[in-house]
Amino acid sequence: KQLGWLESSGPEKVPRLLSTLSRASEHMWRDLALHIHREERALYPILEKHLGYEAEPVGVMRKEHQELLDCLTAVKSEVSRMRDDKDSLKTWSLSSKLQELRVGLSDHISREERVLFWLAELHLSELDRKKISFELLQISKLRRPWKLVIPLPESAAQSLNPKAVATRPDKTSTQDAFP
């Protein structure tokens, strides 16, 4: 919806609309990072322990998490490029990246519901579920849990917040970020 406004708005509205898109992508990144942190810290280790050699679906979910973060980082980078170039007309690339993100999220959520949560229901004991619930509660108590989650690639971190790069921990993948 905002892309249509962006293309048809006057030059005085473009910076505000791009700022709105930038803030929305930052909020979405935080929400996605929190989602990933919860699953990879609370659910996946216990599920992998029970599934053993059949834990391939968990590996697929971890890979998709990284792909979704990369896709969202690309959206954020494109919004930053548009803002820097004062470009409100070349929205095809942003539209394409948003569509890719939408499809990726839809597919990921569908796989979680149809496969991952079904496996958890099938293989986890009541005690395991309580452990997961406790861990999720602990994560929700963190003030800014997404800061602990997944450090971004250098270029993406700069596009989100250039000042944060200096204090950011070493780059890791989603799999390295969670023992």
Side-chain angles (χ1 to χ4, degrees):
K1 191 174 183 179
Q2 289 182 347
L3 289 178
W5 292 343
L6 188 60
E7 290 175 339
S8 63
S9 65
E12 68 282 350
K13 293 183 181 180
V14 169
R16 185 173 53 89
L17 290 171
L18 289 172
S19 291
T20 300
L21 284 170
S22 180
R23 283 191 308 276
S25 64
E26 288 174 24
H27 289 292
M28 191 171 184
W29 191 90
R30 288 182 192 128
D31 290 346
L32 182 60
L34 179 57
H35 165 88
I36 290 169
H37 183 65
R38 285 177 169 166
E39 285 186 352
E40 294 195 8
R41 177 118 184 226
L43 175 62
Y44 291 0
I46 292 173
L47 193 54
E48 285 173 318
K49 184 176 83 175
H50 284 281
L51 292 176
Y53 69 92
E54 296 177 344
E56 183 181 351
V58 176
V60 169
M61 294 290 116
R62 287 183 193 275
K63 183 179 178 221
E64 287 180 4
H65 283 168
Q66 187 60 53
E67 290 169 354
L68 289 168
L69 282 173
D70 291 346
C71 190
L72 191 51
T73 298
V75 167
K76 177 64 178 154
S77 295
E78 182 62 16
V79 171
S80 293
R81 183 207 59 80
M82 291 173 72
R83 190 174 50 213
D84 293 347
D85 295 349
K86 296 176 182 31
D87 178 8
S88 65
L89 299 177
K90 298 176 189 168
T91 59
W92 184 88
S93 180
L94 179 58
S95 180
S96 174
K97 287 171 178 36
L98 287 169
Q99 179 66 13
E100 181 182 342
L101 179 62
R102 186 194 67 75
V103 168
L105 283 169
S106 178
D107 290 349
H108 180 76
I109 291 167
S110 177
R111 265 188 287 286
E112 283 179 339
E113 292 172 353
R114 288 184 297 108
V115 178
L116 194 68
F117 298 152
W118 174 78
L119 287 171
E121 185 71 29
L122 190 64
H123 292 282
L124 299 182
S125 67
E126 185 65 30
L127 180 60
D128 291 327
R129 291 181 194 143
K130 286 182 179 181
K131 287 178 186 177
I132 292 168
S133 294
F134 177 77
E135 186 68 30
L136 291 173
L137 182 63
Q138 296 305 103
I139 292 169
S140 68
K141 290 180 181 179
L142 295 173
R143 189 161 178 222
R144 292 186 188 164
W146 60 85
K147 295 229 180 224
L148 303 174
V149 180
I150 301 149
L152 288 171
E154 200 70 33
S155 60
Q158 289 173 343
S159 71
L160 282 173
N161 183 0
K163 295 176 187 173
V165 174
T167 61
R168 191 171 116 330
D170 291 341
K171 294 188 297 187
T172 57
S173 72
T174 54
Q175 292 176 343
D176 296 333
F178 306 102

